[in-house]
Amino acid sequence: HVQLVESGGGSVQAGGSLRLSCATSRFTYIRYCMGWFRRAPGKEREGLAATSSNGLTSYADSVKGRFTISKDNAKNTLFLQMNDLRPEDIAMYYCTADRIPCGPLSWSDEDAYDHRGQGTQVTVS
């Protein structure tokens, strides 16, 4: 079965950077939608960014200009480069994947994805 395993979380000072990785197994589809979400205590889950085989790359307003999503197809790995981290970025971050290419609205709906990882914690002080 498909597995997504995140890594790269940790604790940084405000203004710092982290690069999250999402290693996938058995997810080698030509058509795909892959995204990053986060959930902070007491807050709703938030779609942060997505990239798709149809060329779509989208970001939430809260991270636009600070976070960059990318995908290494050769390594079947999804990345999230996070710069200028702020205390409000504290959350559990997790990646998602689906065989259906992203739509302009569906990318931020976690229910649209069939697969998700366990997450990696990010703390900003």
Side-chain angles (χ1 to χ4, degrees):
H1 60 281
V2 172
Q3 286 188 313
L4 308 177
V5 179
E6 301 91 341
S7 62
S11 182
V12 296
Q13 292 186 336
S17 299
L18 285 173
R19 189 192 193 202
L20 305 184
S21 299
C22 173
T24 70
S25 64
R26 299 186 177 88
F27 193 82
T28 56
Y29 303 107
I30 293 175
R31 299 173 74 238
Y32 63 86
C33 177
M34 298 188 73
W36 286 98
F37 287 74
R38 68 185 177 190
R39 173 166 278 176
K43 296 183 179 180
E44 293 187 359
R45 61 192 179 191
E46 180 184 14
L48 303 176
T51 185
S52 179
S53 56
N54 61 11
L56 178 145
T57 301
S58 293
Y59 295 93
D61 288 342
S62 59
V63 303
K64 196 173 294 182
R66 299 190 298 127
F67 292 9
T68 302
I69 190 171
S70 61
K71 184 175 182 289
D72 186 328
N73 291 322
K75 296 182 179 180
N76 294 319
T77 301
L78 185 72
F79 299 100
L80 186 68
Q81 177 67 43
M82 306 188 297
N83 299 328
D84 187 26
L85 284 163
R86 306 165 181 171
E88 53 263 41
D89 295 318
I90 295 173
M92 180 69 75
Y93 286 69
Y94 52 101
C95 61
T96 56
D98 197 82
R99 295 178 61 179
I100 299 175
C102 301
L105 297 178
S106 65
W107 74 266
S108 60
D109 179 2
E110 189 185 2
D111 292 335
Y113 297 83
D114 280 343
H115 310 287
R116 59 191 51 79
Q118 294 298 310
T120 184
Q121 179 68 38
V122 171
T123 302
V124 184
S125 59

